[in-house]
Amino acid sequence: MDVSRGASHSEAAPSTGTTIVACTYKGGVVFGADGRVSIGNYIMNRASNKIAPLSEYIFLCRSGSAPDTQIISDNVRHYLHQASAESGEEPSVLMAANLVRLLNYNNKDHLVGAMLVVGWDKHAGGQVYGVPISGTLAKEKWAIDGSGSSYIWGYCDSEFKEDMTREEAENWVKEALALAMTRDASSGGTIRMYTLDGAGVHHTYIPGDQVPQFVGDLPFPTGNPGGAVLGSAAREGGMVIG
């Protein structure tokens, strides 16, 4: 995810640095995102939360410009709260997805946001909607977006199965994110995953040193970098390395 706001859309290609992944399974839905946030080539945060709650059981996975997708999530959350207060019922996932699509499309000349609307409701169970840049809307059994997604289309297509168990779906999302983080310089850091079903919301946080590694990965650093000898200030807690 990129927090910079530089040239207009006509002057530069949009950047969606991030990887977001979601899939349905028998009984619910699983989704997740990496934690890396950058300004150009500078990594400013490796543990950011790119998943915004829209209601109790509906979430927005964000990639693209951080402020653009944040303003969309804030507005949709407000509209859904109003609708819920007036009707006395929880909003549907489809309602949230259409609101995201409407805001994204009506402001397509000003916003850079590639998003996934993911949730669970009593009408249709677990659902995944893709809302790419410019604001179309597509309901999918699984969806990916962000710069890291281009590296994992083959994996996701070949490994996804209809009616997976919850454990299989969680492993599918985790491995897809880890593979993207291996190859995409704009994806990395930590992994946040959510599972939604009739029993509620379940959150999983995977620190960087516990993200699955693959052939060619550099090992996660441990101990002092390069075996450096630290000064007294560092030994006494006056300096943090890492």
Side-chain angles (χ1 to χ4, degrees), residues 190-220:
T190 62
I191 291 177
R192 295 178 190 272
M193 287 175 30
Y194 289 80
T195 302
L196 299 179
D197 55 27
V201 182
H202 316 276
H203 174 237
T204 303
Y205 176 77
I206 304 174
D209 60 348
Q210 296 178 23
V211 173
Q213 291 190 321
F214 300 92
V215 176
D217 272 2
L218 291 174
F220 195 86

Side-chain angles (χ1 to χ4, degrees), residues 91-139:
S92 69
V93 182
L94 179 58
M95 178 191 296
N98 274 311
L99 284 170
V100 172
R101 176 198 60 80
L102 188 66
L103 286 171
N104 208 20
Y105 179 77
N106 288 344
N107 297 279
K108 61 182 179 292
D109 293 330
H110 308 288
L111 301 179
V112 178
M115 297 160 285
L116 304 178
V117 179
V118 190
W120 185 96
D121 61 40
K122 62 183 181 182
H123 307 291
Q127 299 154 73
V128 175
Y129 292 90
V131 190
I133 292 174
S134 294
T136 190
L137 180 66
K139 185 178 182 181

Side-chain angles (χ1 to χ4, degrees), residues 10-234:
S10 61
E11 296 171 338
S15 171
T16 58
T18 276
T19 304
I20 50 178
V21 178
C23 76
T24 58
Y25 71 92
K26 191 174 182 178
V29 63
V30 181
F31 54 99
D34 73 297
R36 178 170 291 178
V37 175
S38 58
I39 300 178
N41 294 325
Y42 174 71
I43 299 170
M44 61 171 295
N45 192 339
R46 62 183 180 182
S48 174
N49 188 358
K50 304 175 184 179
I51 300 173
L54 301 180
S55 72
E56 186 174 0
Y57 291 100
I58 307 173
F59 292 79
L60 184 70
C61 299
R62 305 181 295 123
S63 73
S65 167
D68 290 355
T69 56
Q70 186 67 59
I71 198 66
I72 290 174
S73 67
D74 289 346
N75 277 275
V76 172
R77 187 184 307 113
H78 171 69
Y79 294 143
L80 292 179
H81 179 74
Q82 285 186 317
S84 180
E86 292 176 3
S87 66
E89 297 183 355
E90 285 294 318
S92 69
V93 182
L94 179 58
M95 178 191 296
N98 274 311
L99 284 170
V100 172
R101 176 198 60 80
L102 188 66
L103 286 171
N104 208 20
Y105 179 77
N106 288 344
N107 297 279
K108 61 182 179 292
D109 293 330
H110 308 288
L111 301 179
V112 178
M115 297 160 285
L116 304 178
V117 179
V118 190
W120 185 96
D121 61 40
K122 62 183 181 182
H123 307 291
Q127 299 154 73
V128 175
Y129 292 90
V131 190
I133 292 174
S134 294
T136 190
L137 180 66
K139 185 178 182 181
E140 307 285 355
K141 293 181 179 177
W142 62 269
I144 58 178
D145 217 320
S147 59
S149 66
S150 59
Y151 297 92
I152 56 173
W153 276 102
Y155 166 84
C156 294
D157 199 29
S158 65
E159 297 299 318
F160 178 81
K161 297 181 294 184
E162 300 265 357
D163 294 328
M164 289 191 292
T165 65
R166 172 178 167 176
E167 182 179 2
E168 288 174 331
E170 289 175 341
N171 287 335
W172 184 88
V173 170
K174 179 173 69 174
E175 191 156 309
L177 287 167
L179 284 166
M181 292 161 65
T182 299
R183 294 289 178 247
D184 179 35
S186 296
S187 302
T190 62
I191 291 177
R192 295 178 190 272
M193 287 175 30
Y194 289 80
T195 302
L196 299 179
D197 55 27
V201 182
H202 316 276
H203 174 237
T204 303
Y205 176 77
I206 304 174
D209 60 348
Q210 296 178 23
V211 173
Q213 291 190 321
F214 300 92
V215 176
D217 272 2
L218 291 174
F220 195 86
T222 58
N224 296 339
V229 178
L230 303 181
S232 59

